[in-house]
Amino acid sequence: MWKVRSVLGLLSLLLLSASVGLAAAQGSRGRSSKWQTLSGDAPLVIARGGFSGIFPDSSFYAYSLAVQTSLTNVHVWCDVQLTKDGAGICFPDIRLENSSDIDNVYKNGRNTYVVNGVSTQGWFSVDFTLNDLAPVNLKQRIFTRAPNFDGTPMQILTVDDVVSQVKPPALWLNIPHDAFFSQHNLSMRSFILSVSRRVIVNYVSSPEVGFLRSIVSRFRTGPTKLVFQFLGPDDVEPTTNSTYGTLLNNLTFIKTFASGILVPKYYIWPVDNSQYLLNYTSLVVDAHAAGLEVFASNFANDAPLAYDYSYDPVVEYLNFIDNGKFSVDGVLSDFPITPSETIDCFSHIGKNDTVQANILVISSEGASGDYPGCTDKAYQKAVSDGVDILDCPVQMTNDGVPICLGSINLRDRTDVAQSDFSNLATDNPDLNIQNGIFTYNLTWSQIQTLKPAISNPYSNYSLFRNPRSRNDGNLMSLADFLAFANNASSVSGVLITIENAAYLAQKQGLGVTDAVVDALSKAGYNNQTTKKVMIRSSDSAVLLKFKSSSNYELVYLVDNDVRDILNSTILEIKKFASSVVLSKGSVFPTDDAFVTGETNVVPKLQAFNLTVYVQYFRNEFVAQPWDFFSDAYVEINTHVSYMGINGVVTDFPATAAKYRRNRCLGYKEVPLYMTPVQPAGLISLMAPKFLPPAEAPNPVLTENDVTEPPLPPVVEKAPTANTGNGTTAPGPTPPNGQPTLLASTILSSIGVLLAALLIC
């Protein structure tokens, strides 16, 4: 139907590999553990509409990318619809306007039909011949996904087109609406029997018992397997007039016409109303006992997961295929690269397996993706997850105690806005913070009365972190942190971050650098070589204060995205640091969540013998540009294998630790699903009008950007409650235990009320 243009050449830009010609994905190899599937073989990866998480569902691009980036035996999924002249097309919805521009091509083509007993309006394939559909192009049907490829011509494909043009390793045809097409004198049975004579159809599935029973006699022998698809448990199956939940209790009946079942994943691992996992059901074990394969559907990287998975789809897949009790026989995914890497690279490995990638895993406020940052819970989880370096961003309290907290503003990391200290909220133009309550406003004992609050950097996308534990754990002083890290035998070092040192010394009378030096000395870190000590700051003057401590690794933080760095700037950095932390945007710049290219900042720094770490790596799919397929492992791998960074700073240490132990990195021929992507590969496939809007280029880092004046001396702390610079020190504590607080005179009564209501 569609004459293929030179698209594969463009698609190959998506992946950087010297072995592109090898194309492939290695299957499960050299594994002694036995899979708990019905056959004992590795589970199948079924690409729903191809790589439909990125490209329009059932498009040539989607199918081609799925075949390129998945296991060698990937099964491509085609939802079959029939045209007016009986051609079978691959299309994800019975209403064509939901995934194509047919409503623009045929503005008067809308019709109304009864579908499964429901009157439905739309553009239907039964009203158009195959030739009529030639000018129609596919588009993205899920609004939360990037529409940037809607302007790239992608015509509707027939089943034969998919086979001849894509040449998939295996084919899965799904028949969702046999009864509807029968009402229009179109025989899905005849089509399936006809196509199976021309090509090998590995699986045929349908949610309609009548259809499968009508063809079972023709497929009892041969390569084609029949699978009964379950819809929602309360939905009614049209042939038996029973709910799918009822049919699930009669697996022996299903076995009479099918060799397997396809169920939504929540049939196996249900979740509660709070989006946490409940106990797994016995479905897989029961179905296997009945001789039925079990396939699970509804997997997508860019959809909210159960909180138990920490936004890591690999962990979710492992829960279905490698839980020690059962394994599904295959998964249906919009992002087939992820189950492919899960099966081949991450299954049946443990925390003590061989490290394949020599990168340092540095925490960001501990495991702050799972617990409130800088709490004992977050640090304990980070250690359990396999972190190398535990970090402590140091803040100072009013009584001069250095503590670990991710922000100088208590509103960002605690429930202070709901506490009796809420009336301390004020603006601080020196720190460019409005309506803040600062650590230097309260004593350490007062801060300890607050509850920590988990950080939710993507709450505007309604993505929240572990709500059940949003206030769990206890905040820690620097001394407590150092003692904890010292006792954690698996931790190789600590990273101490110091910011706002000049402000604290000059405006608050607090010497943060001296406090850190004192704490390290008292904790014995100056007299040992077991634990590495790293001091990080975006202020060169801070690092120069630690220059005499030759056993410390001094780390300069480039706190803005940059596109380049001058050699003279690097020579200046070497005067006060041996390592640099960059943002991800300084490595792979982006426009509107698409990678636009790469910089040479990392190799330039490394050429001058500077170690390079990159931050922040996060699991939430919105944290990754689309080029990384909403997959944290693809993102990490591209930074490590392509750009050669030395370490990652992450809110989710478990993900980075798992990445470096994945067995695929040790293969002689690394499969494409563990190969870095080509920067700007996706943008190269967009029509000009659909390119993301160009953003202003990032600046070049110059000597002036990294040179700071010496730290000022610590001024004597003013004894008055109101320091006159926008801060208010706490007053004495009355006998009832509640602190006596002086309300800031610049706060109106409305402001106080709002501050009390706001949630950090």
Side-chain angles (χ1 to χ4, degrees):
M1 173 181 174
W2 181 35
K3 185 176 180 180
V4 183
R5 292 169 293 178
S6 179
V7 180
L8 284 175
L10 290 174
L11 280 173
S12 65
L13 290 174
L14 293 171
L15 300 164
L16 178 72
S17 173
S19 60
V20 168
L22 298 173
Q26 310 296 322
S28 303
R29 297 172 288 187
R31 184 178 298 117
S32 58
S33 301
K34 183 178 180 180
W35 288 100
Q36 293 176 294
T37 55
L38 183 63
S39 66
D41 297 330
L44 298 179
V45 172
I46 308 140
R48 194 186 66 80
F51 211 127
S52 54
I54 297 295
F55 293 118
D57 194 307
S58 305
S59 66
F60 177 79
Y61 279 28
Y63 284 127
S64 297
L65 184 60
V67 171
Q68 286 193 36
T69 60
S70 305
L71 290 169
T72 51
N73 67 338
V74 64
H75 287 52
V76 299
W77 168 284
C78 163
D79 285 298
V80 182
Q81 319 292 340
L82 294 179
T83 63
K84 186 176 183 179
D85 49 347
I89 61 172
C90 295
F91 201 88
D93 198 295
I94 195 167
R95 293 179 298 176
L96 300 183
E97 76 276 13
N98 282 354
S99 192
S100 79
D101 63 357
I102 193 168
D103 49 336
N104 291 324
V105 177
Y106 298 106
K107 296 184 183 299
N108 298 320
R110 190 200 311 250
N111 217 327
T112 302
Y113 293 116
V114 176
V115 181
N116 292 340
V118 178
S119 180
T120 306
Q121 275 194 346
W123 280 255
F124 295 86
S125 61
V126 295
D127 294 325
F128 301 92
T129 66
L130 184 60
N131 189 59
D132 291 336
L133 296 179
V136 176
N137 281 294
L138 296 166
K139 67 180 183 181
Q140 181 56 254
R141 71 190 186 106
I142 297 179
F143 295 139
T144 55
R145 291 176 177 167
N148 301 70
F149 305 103
D150 289 357
T152 304
M154 299 186 208
Q155 291 177 285
I156 295 173
L157 302 177
T158 65
V159 173
D160 292 280
D161 288 335
V162 173
V163 173
S164 63
Q165 297 175 11
V166 180
K167 296 179 173 59
L171 182 64
W172 186 307
L173 300 181
N174 185 54
I175 314 301
H177 295 292
D178 171 64
F180 171 79
F181 290 106
S182 296
Q183 293 167 10
H184 294 270
N185 299 316
L186 293 168
S187 175
M188 193 65 76
R189 179 181 185 276
S190 297
F191 171 78
I192 289 295
L193 295 179
S194 174
V195 77
S196 65
R197 297 187 190 104
R198 302 191 301 274
V199 302
I200 294 177
V201 180
N202 300 83
Y203 285 88
V204 174
S205 60
S206 178
E208 298 183 12
V209 170
F211 171 72
L212 293 175
R213 295 183 74 177
S214 74
I215 64 172
V216 64
S217 62
R218 301 296 296 269
F219 293 107
R220 289 201 183 277
T221 60
T224 304
K225 295 182 178 181
L226 304 185
V227 174
F228 180 56
Q229 180 185 14
F230 281 80
L231 304 182
D234 296 325
D235 292 333
V236 176
E237 193 282 320
T239 307
T240 62
N241 205 31
S242 299
T243 65
Y244 289 95
T246 301
L247 288 171
L248 193 64
N249 297 320
N250 199 351
L251 295 176
T252 55
F253 167 66
I254 294 172
K255 178 62 177 172
T256 63
F257 58 85
S259 63
I261 58 175
L262 172 66
V263 298
K265 62 186 181 182
Y266 60 81
Y267 273 51
I268 299 169
W269 281 99
V271 297
D272 63 18
N273 292 333
S274 300
Q275 207 58 26
Y276 284 90
L277 287 175
L278 298 171
N279 290 332
Y280 61 87
T281 68
S282 63
L283 186 151
V284 177
V285 174
D286 293 344
H288 282 174
L292 290 166
E293 290 184 298
V294 181
F295 303 94
S297 63
N298 295 13
F299 289 94
N301 292 5
D302 60 346
L305 307 178
Y307 291 117
D308 310 72
Y309 299 130
S310 299
Y311 289 99
D312 186 344
V314 166
V315 175
E316 181 183 37
Y317 284 116
L318 288 171
N319 208 29
F320 282 82
I321 67 171
D322 184 20
N323 57 44
K325 298 175 179 65
F326 61 83
S327 171
V328 297
D329 300 275
V331 292
L332 180 62
S333 175
D334 293 12
F335 294 81
I337 190 173
T338 304
S340 295
E341 71 191 29
T342 302
I343 291 167
D344 194 20
C345 309
F346 295 107
S347 62
H348 306 125
I349 63 171
K351 293 181 179 179
N352 296 322
D353 279 36
T354 303
V355 171
Q356 304 289 350
N358 186 25
I359 60 165
L360 208 62
V361 178
I362 306 169
S363 71
S364 171
E365 304 177 39
S368 57
D370 295 299
Y371 291 100
C374 297
T375 60
D376 52 351
K377 290 275 192 179
Y379 288 131
Q380 290 163 7
K381 180 69 163 55
V383 172
S384 174
D385 288 342
V387 75
D388 296 313
I389 305 294
L390 277 179
D391 75 305
C392 169
V394 175
Q395 314 298 340
M396 296 296 291
T397 68
N398 184 265
D399 51 345
V401 177
I403 66 172
C404 298
L405 198 66
S407 173
I408 195 172
N409 185 359
L410 288 165
R411 295 173 66 93
D412 294 336
R413 296 294 190 274
T414 73
D415 69 341
V416 70
Q418 291 80 50
S419 74
D420 291 330
F421 305 110
S422 61
N423 61 346
L424 292 180
T426 188
D427 296 340
N428 189 321
D430 292 307
L431 300 178
N432 197 27
I433 296 174
Q434 294 182 335
N435 204 31
I437 304 173
F438 303 94
T439 58
Y440 55 75
N441 289 142
L442 304 180
T443 65
W444 175 225
S445 61
Q446 290 171 328
I447 290 175
Q448 286 177 294
T449 67
L450 304 175
K451 290 181 180 180
I454 202 166
S455 176
N456 291 297
Y458 305 107
S459 58
N460 55 320
Y461 295 96
S462 296
L463 297 176
F464 300 95
R465 293 175 170 178
N466 196 9
R468 284 183 180 172
S469 299
R470 61 182 177 270
N471 298 119
D472 283 3
N474 300 300
L475 297 174
M476 301 179 73
S477 67
L478 176 59
D480 293 336
F481 165 82
L482 292 172
F484 173 81
N486 197 39
N487 291 328
S489 59
S490 62
V491 172
S492 60
V494 295
L495 171 68
I496 309 299
T497 300
I498 302 174
E499 298 294 343
N500 306 312
Y503 170 81
L504 290 171
Q506 198 168 35
K507 296 293 184 73
Q508 299 299 327
L510 296 169
V512 60
T513 55
D514 293 338
V516 169
V517 169
D518 184 58
L520 286 168
S521 177
K522 289 180 178 178
Y525 279 76
N526 294 339
N527 303 316
Q528 54 87 45
T529 57
T530 304
K531 303 286 187 185
K532 175 191 289 190
V533 176
M534 304 166 71
I535 306 295
R536 176 176 64 179
S537 182
S538 62
D539 188 340
S540 59
V542 169
L543 299 178
L544 285 170
K545 289 279 288 188
F546 290 87
K547 189 70 174 176
S548 60
S549 301
S550 57
N551 57 326
Y552 293 170
E553 179 180 342
L554 304 183
V555 185
Y556 180 63
L557 171 63
V558 180
D559 54 1
N560 292 311
D561 293 346
V562 298
R563 73 174 187 271
D564 198 2
I565 183 169
L566 302 178
N567 288 346
S568 57
T569 308
I570 300 176
L571 291 173
E572 186 66 26
I573 291 174
K574 285 180 66 70
K575 294 178 182 179
F576 53 80
S578 59
S579 305
V580 175
V581 173
L582 298 173
S583 65
K584 293 190 300 184
S586 296
V587 182
F588 296 111
T590 62
D591 280 351
D592 199 24
F594 285 98
V595 174
T596 57
E598 61 187 276
T599 73
N600 63 353
V601 175
V602 172
K604 286 181 74 170
L605 289 168
Q606 291 175 334
F608 282 83
N609 295 318
L610 286 167
T611 303
V612 180
Y613 310 115
V614 175
Q615 67 181 26
Y616 294 102
F617 288 90
R618 291 165 172 158
N619 286 359
E620 291 95 341
F621 60 88
V622 295
Q624 300 118 28
W626 286 110
D627 302 68
F628 301 128
F629 309 135
S630 301
D631 185 318
Y633 298 90
V634 175
E635 181 180 43
I636 293 173
N637 187 51
T638 302
H639 282 79
V640 173
S641 298
Y642 181 81
M643 200 55 77
I645 67 173
N646 303 103
V648 297
V649 182
T650 175
D651 300 8
F652 297 88
T655 299
K658 187 184 280 91
Y659 159 76
R660 64 180 178 181
R661 285 187 166 84
N662 87 79
R663 68 172 65 84
C664 292
L665 295 175
Y667 289 165
K668 184 177 180 180
E669 298 172 2
V670 178
L672 288 185
Y673 39 82
M674 197 45 64
T675 305
V677 304
Q678 174 65 41
L682 287 182
I683 279 184
S684 69
L685 300 174
M686 298 176 190
K689 290 184 179 181
F690 285 77
L691 289 170
E695 298 179 7
N698 294 325
V700 175
L701 196 67
T702 66
E703 290 178 70
N704 290 337
D705 296 321
V706 303
T707 303
E708 304 285 351
L711 291 179
V714 179
V715 301
E716 184 176 353
K717 192 173 178 66
T720 57
N722 193 329
T723 63
N725 63 355
T727 65
T728 305
T733 302
N736 63 6
Q738 296 298 321
T740 301
L741 302 175
L742 299 178
S744 171
T745 57
I746 66 170
L747 284 175
S748 68
S749 59
I750 295 177
V752 173
L753 178 60
L754 289 175
L757 292 175
L758 286 174
I759 300 175
C760 294

